[in-house]
Amino acid sequence: MSLSFFPSQLVGDFTITAISDGYLSASLDFLSNIAPAEAASMQGAAGQAVPDAVHINCYIVRSANRSILIDGGAGGVKQWGGRLHDNLLLAGIDPASIDTILLTHAHPDHVGGLVGPAGQRRFPKAQLLVHQHEVAFWNDDANLSRASARAKGNFAMARRVFDAYRGQLRTFLGGTVLPGIQAMPLLGHTPGHTGYLLESHAQSLLVWGDIVHFPHIQIERPDVSIAFDQDPAMAATTRSRLLDMACSEKLLVAGMHLGELGFARIRHTSGTYGLQYETLV
């Protein structure tokens, strides 16, 4: 099997492929500014048979001289996901061929697949690029001391990954992180939550991380945030701004919880935003 089996898009010299890590469970009760019954109704209207299943995407970006992974999935942490490495093999991708990992943020469903059971690097030759504020937040003992019991596990997972890649870890604040790839801070979800804008030959695509978890709800209702957002109000503001941008610029978007098809455009009709999945290459 090859990359052609997986949803892919061409953006100039880049080939971007969505690689599924599987699903995580997240109750609709975690959403704010919407009643669970209304959220369930919107999920049902969108054909979501299991309303509280959230799909996890990772993305492979290939060019003539680079092989990049954006996020590492959950890796089976909390019994979430765990399919990334099997799917990479199905796609004919050797983890040792990945030279760079771009991290949108360090929640467990994005970093769990980067390390093995003994804390070893699953991508031994890859440099890990992360927003500076993300690393600072998860490594801060004062933040850890204030965290809930559940969140303390998130700190432990993030630190485990940062420690494993310590010699290959590079931080940034924004701007160009690799040729043709610009980091776009998208505040609210975590302190260093980052999207990546890929541009090549007048074509572009934005990998927007966790702008949405339930796309059929939060794209139509950008005011709806989730308990995983560190600053729900800021996350909602960022989401609205980004939807405006994606719609007005007809921007191709990719997201870690956008669904198995992986790529979409944002349309605006009858006063609300909507999701239109992109035809696969």
Side-chain angles (χ1 to χ4, degrees), residues 4-18:
S4 61
F5 177 78
F6 297 90
S8 296
Q9 295 290 330
L10 296 176
V11 176
D13 293 330
F14 294 116
T15 300
I16 303 97
T17 302

Side-chain angles (χ1 to χ4, degrees), residues 61-118:
V61 180
R62 285 187 159 182
S63 63
N65 56 2
R66 299 212 77 107
S67 186
I68 302 162
L69 173 68
I70 305 182
D71 282 2
V77 173
K78 302 182 182 181
Q79 299 183 330
W80 295 344
R83 289 170 44 189
L84 171 63
H85 287 269
D86 287 343
N87 281 336
L88 286 174
L89 294 177
L90 285 174
I93 298 172
D94 179 354
S97 72
I98 302 295
D99 57 68
T100 309
I101 301 165
L102 299 178
L103 202 62
T104 64
H105 63 297
H107 277 162
D109 55 314
H110 300 260
V111 300
L114 298 181
V115 294

Side-chain angles (χ1 to χ4, degrees), residues 55 61 64 68 70 76 80 86 97 120 128 132 137 142 146 155 175 196 203 205 208 219 227 229-230 243 246-247 272:
H55 184 255
V61 180
I68 302 162
I70 305 182
W80 295 344
D86 287 343
S97 72
Q120 72 275 25
L128 179 64
Q132 181 177 314
F137 175 82
R146 290 189 291 266
F155 277 84
Y196 295 98
Q203 295 179 288
L205 176 146
W208 70 13
I219 287 175
D229 292 334
Q230 186 183 50
L243 290 171
C247 184
T272 60

Side-chain angles (χ1 to χ4, degrees), residues 3 51 72 85 160 279:
L3 283 175
H85 287 269
R160 187 181 183 194
T279 302

